[in-house]
Amino acid sequence: MGPSRRGALVGTPLLVVGVALAASNLRPAVTSMASVLGEVRDDLGASAAWTSVLTAVPTICFGLAAVAAPLLGRRLGMARAVAVALAVLTAGLVLRIVDGPWVVLGGTFVAAAGIAIGNVLIPVVVKESFPHAVGRVTGVYTAALAAGGGIGAAFTPPLEPLVGGWRGAVGAWALLSAAALVVWLAGARHGEPRPSGRAAGAGAERRPMLRRPLAWVVTAFFGLQACVAYVAMGWLSEMFVSVGVTRTDAGLMLAAINLIGIPLSFLIPPVALNRPSQSGWIVGLACCSLVAVAGLAVAPAAAPWLWTILLGTGMAVFPLGLGVIALRTRDAAETTDLSAMAQGIGYLVGAAGPFLFGMLHGVTGSWTPSLVLLGVVIVVEMVLGWVAGRPRYV
């Protein structure tokens, strides 16, 4: 039941739409909850530790479930595997609004499991089905990802009074994932089986991905950029509210850091991923995040929109992280393995970020130590991104 038993999904315009809609559902589960985190905590009577765990649960689950994604893809084929991911996501979004704190955590874990499978497999679909347009389709994918995250953050707070509170506002995003599932089922179909591209004896010579040094560099880089992104998505809104920004404006700022990624996803990947090296682009974008974090530490209320725009620009390193996974591998099988490793281990590394950020703030009563820690993470991300972006194979 390996990859050679089924052909790649046929790269039609409808499949591009399916990829975009699937991608648009991979962030609202996180950003919708983050935008009303204070209300959720107060309504459930939850502790600061529970809140920190809730912000870390998605990235933990992304790491754990990503390990199973390649097996699911091989057993079911990409069409069915991504459909399963969207179905699991929809179920989790519904489950987490029906009861108390532990059900919220459990439903978030289930939803994040569906997201994790999509995180790993959709980039493989892009490489297999659109081999001559990886940069352009990656741009569409990451733009849809950013749009979904931004919309989830921007529209959840205004939905609250219309649907009776945070439960209805957060649960409403299940409708979007169900719609994406319908479109995916209509557009995803396998073509004729084709050879894997390896010679008969190549499998015996192939080193496990875990034994390849560059694979670990890519994984660490991916994990650290995920750490920065999920700290921003999990805590930026609360940080701004604590310094006097209104809840609605803080939700808009959270939306902005995602929405900024839409034009950047169309502009940067087609250029950067068609060049031999992506190192300069990665370092430049990470510098934007570093300036934003410094601003938040020194004067958070002085120019919150400036810090938001810089942080959103820096988070546009994400599509380059996905692109590097595809460019540093020779074929779809290696891409699947590296994608699973980078996202499986990387998201587990990234999960420590929101948890430690929140706990450090809870212990010190100040955002500054948490932001200093985040700045150190960004500096290390720069160094690893420079190495990961150099033109060579794992």
Side-chain angles (χ1 to χ4, degrees):
M1 295 191 182
S4 63
R5 293 286 297 273
R6 293 182 178 88
L9 298 181
V10 179
T12 62
L14 186 56
L15 182 63
V16 176
V17 175
V19 165
L21 284 177
S24 70
N25 281 275
L26 301 183
R27 291 299 176 268
V30 178
T31 60
S32 62
M33 184 66 79
S35 67
V36 292
L37 191 59
E39 287 90 335
V40 174
R41 181 186 58 218
D42 294 343
D43 182 57
L44 297 175
S47 65
W50 179 90
T51 308
S52 294
V53 170
L54 181 67
T55 62
V57 158
T59 43
I60 293 171
C61 191
F62 291 169
L64 295 175
V67 177
L71 177 61
L72 193 66
R74 287 193 293 268
R75 291 287 178 87
L76 300 181
M78 290 296 177
R80 291 181 179 178
V82 175
V84 167
L86 290 170
V88 170
L89 169 59
T90 303
L93 290 174
V94 173
L95 174 63
R96 71 176 180 171
I97 65 170
V98 300
D99 207 344
W102 292 107
V103 175
V104 171
L105 285 176
T108 300
F109 194 92
V110 171
I115 294 171
I117 297 168
N119 281 340
V120 173
L121 296 185
I122 293 178
V124 179
V125 171
V126 171
K127 176 157 185 169
E128 280 191 323
S129 303
F130 306 96
H132 304 297
V134 170
R136 289 196 300 274
V137 181
T138 296
V140 171
Y141 165 67
T142 53
L145 201 69
I151 291 169
F155 284 91
T156 302
L159 273 176
E160 282 191 275
L162 301 177
V163 294
W166 68 266
R167 292 183 188 273
V170 170
W173 299 103
L175 299 175
L176 181 62
S177 60
L181 174 59
V182 172
V183 175
W184 179 264
L185 290 173
R189 57 188 180 87
H190 288 277
E192 292 297 319
R194 59 192 184 188
S196 65
R198 285 194 176 91
E205 302 172 2
R206 181 184 172 207
R207 285 186 301 158
M209 199 60 66
L210 292 171
R211 296 179 60 185
R212 305 187 193 192
L214 183 57
W216 280 105
V217 172
V218 172
T219 297
F221 162 61
F222 192 90
L224 293 182
Q225 68 80 28
C227 176
V228 175
Y230 282 95
V231 165
M233 286 189 282
W235 287 105
L236 184 68
S237 181
E238 286 300 299
M239 190 187 313
F240 280 140
V241 168
S242 73
V243 297
V245 177
T246 67
R247 175 68 62 182
T248 299
D249 286 346
L252 290 174
M253 290 173 187
L254 180 59
I257 66 169
N258 290 276
L259 295 176
I260 288 167
I262 298 175
L264 295 180
S265 292
F266 284 117
L267 294 172
I268 293 176
V271 176
L273 299 182
N274 283 324
R275 295 180 180 274
S277 173
Q278 293 73 47
S279 298
W281 287 91
I282 290 170
V283 171
L285 291 170
C287 283
C288 292
S289 294
L290 192 59
V291 172
V293 168
L296 287 167
V298 175
W305 277 107
L306 176 60
W307 313 141
T308 297
I309 291 168
L310 285 170
L311 191 56
T313 301
M315 284 169 57
V317 75
F318 172 71
L320 299 188
L322 292 177
V324 161
I325 291 172
L327 293 176
R328 301 288 87 86
T329 52
R330 295 176 177 83
D331 55 37
E334 282 194 342
T335 303
T336 304
D337 290 346
L338 182 57
S339 183
M341 177 179 172
Q343 298 196 55
I345 298 174
Y347 277 126
L348 289 176
V349 171
F355 180 77
L356 291 176
F357 191 91
M359 290 301 293
L360 195 55
H361 170 65
V363 169
T364 64
S366 168
W367 294 108
T368 302
S370 300
L371 290 166
V372 170
L373 176 63
L374 189 60
V376 172
V377 168
I378 293 170
V379 171
V380 179
E381 174 198 337
M382 282 187 198
V383 175
L384 294 173
W386 178 268
V387 177
R390 293 167 60 192
R392 50 184 173 154
Y393 292 115
V394 295

